Amino acid sequence: MALELGLEHLPACLALDQRALGGLWTAAQWSSELQEPRRPCWGLLEGEQLIAVACGWLVVDELHITVVAVDPARQRQGLGRRVLERLLEQAAALGAAHATLEVAASNGAALALYGRCGFSTAGVRRGYYRNGDDALVQWRRLHDAQEVRIAAHS
Ligand SMILES: CC(C)(COP(=O)(O)OP(=O)(O)OC[C@H]1O[C@@H](n2cnc3c(N)ncnc32)[C@H](O)[C@@H]1OP(=O)(O)O)[C@@H](O)C(=O)NCCC(=O)NCCS
């Protein structure tokens, strides 16, 4: 079952970040994500090891998703969807009206996940990433947790 992550999960977050994202955030960045009240972070643990994570920032009525990652050895088993769905449910319960994020246009796995979770492409940011890749802005409305659940399971 997904659980909300706290500072005690910092080493596990850093380890998953290394395995799945090649070290996206520093320890200082992760500890902010894990401590700030308006930055929810959900994960799935297997023993001490974190195998999936989804985090975001609640800004006014919007959830800005900052990271979704699954252990490379555990991808395509529905885990990304589980943690993302839990993050969306909590954001909706806390009053977020919509959710958004940027994803590299070349990241087919992430685009498949977001599409399955009810997101659609709302815009393109040309050359957004350091390697020159375009970012696709993903967006979805969050009416309530029930609607999120229906979209995620359809
Ligand atoms: C993107 C990522 C989080 C997806 O996690 P996951 O646990 O493998 O995804 P799920 O198993 O929950 O799959 C969700 C849906 O996306 C589809 N999907 C996942 N990976 C896919 C791939 N490589 N190709 C095609 N479809 C894919 C699944 O088939 C599933 O659809 P379905 O319900 O119709 O079967 C994972 O690939 C990852 O950690 N990638 C590296 C980090 C990253 O790029 N994060 C996103 C940054 S924006």
Side-chain angles (χ1 to χ4, degrees):
M1 185 151 59
L3 83 162
E4 192 161 14
L5 301 177
L7 199 52
E8 66 276 22
H9 299 111
L10 176 61
C13 288
L14 283 166
L16 177 59
D17 184 344
Q18 277 299 333
R19 291 195 305 277
L21 298 161
L24 180 69
W25 287 344
T26 63
Q29 285 171 311
W30 270 110
S31 51
S32 299
E33 298 309 306
L34 295 168
Q35 286 181 95
E36 298 269 343
R38 301 283 292 171
R39 297 188 188 181
C41 240
W42 287 85
L44 288 167
L45 283 169
E46 202 168 61
E48 299 278 294
Q49 185 162 295
L50 189 65
I51 53 171
V53 69
C55 304
W57 293 8
L58 287 159
V59 183
V60 194
D61 66 344
E62 175 177 293
L63 174 72
H64 189 98
I65 295 163
T66 51
V67 70
V68 182
V70 173
D71 190 311
R74 300 298 303 273
Q75 291 175 3
R76 303 215 63 174
Q77 296 174 17
L79 304 183
R81 196 163 158 181
R82 267 169 63 192
V83 282
L84 178 57
E85 185 182 331
R86 189 66 195 90
L87 179 67
L88 295 173
E89 281 177 357
Q90 186 199 29
L94 292 172
H98 53 271
T100 187
L101 62 105
E102 287 95 16
V103 57
S106 57
N107 193 342
L111 283 165
L113 168 66
Y114 301 131
R116 291 299 289 159
C117 288
F119 286 83
S120 53
T121 298
V124 182
R125 299 207 165 108
R126 302 257 171 235
Y128 181 83
Y129 294 101
R130 259 184 241 155
N131 66 1
D133 262 12
D134 295 341
L136 301 183
V137 179
Q138 302 293 293
W139 191 90
R140 68 151 293 167
R141 191 175 298 282
L142 297 174
H143 285 299
D144 55 42
Q146 186 59 27
E147 181 177 292
V148 172
R149 198 180 285 281
I150 289 164
H153 288 288
S154 59

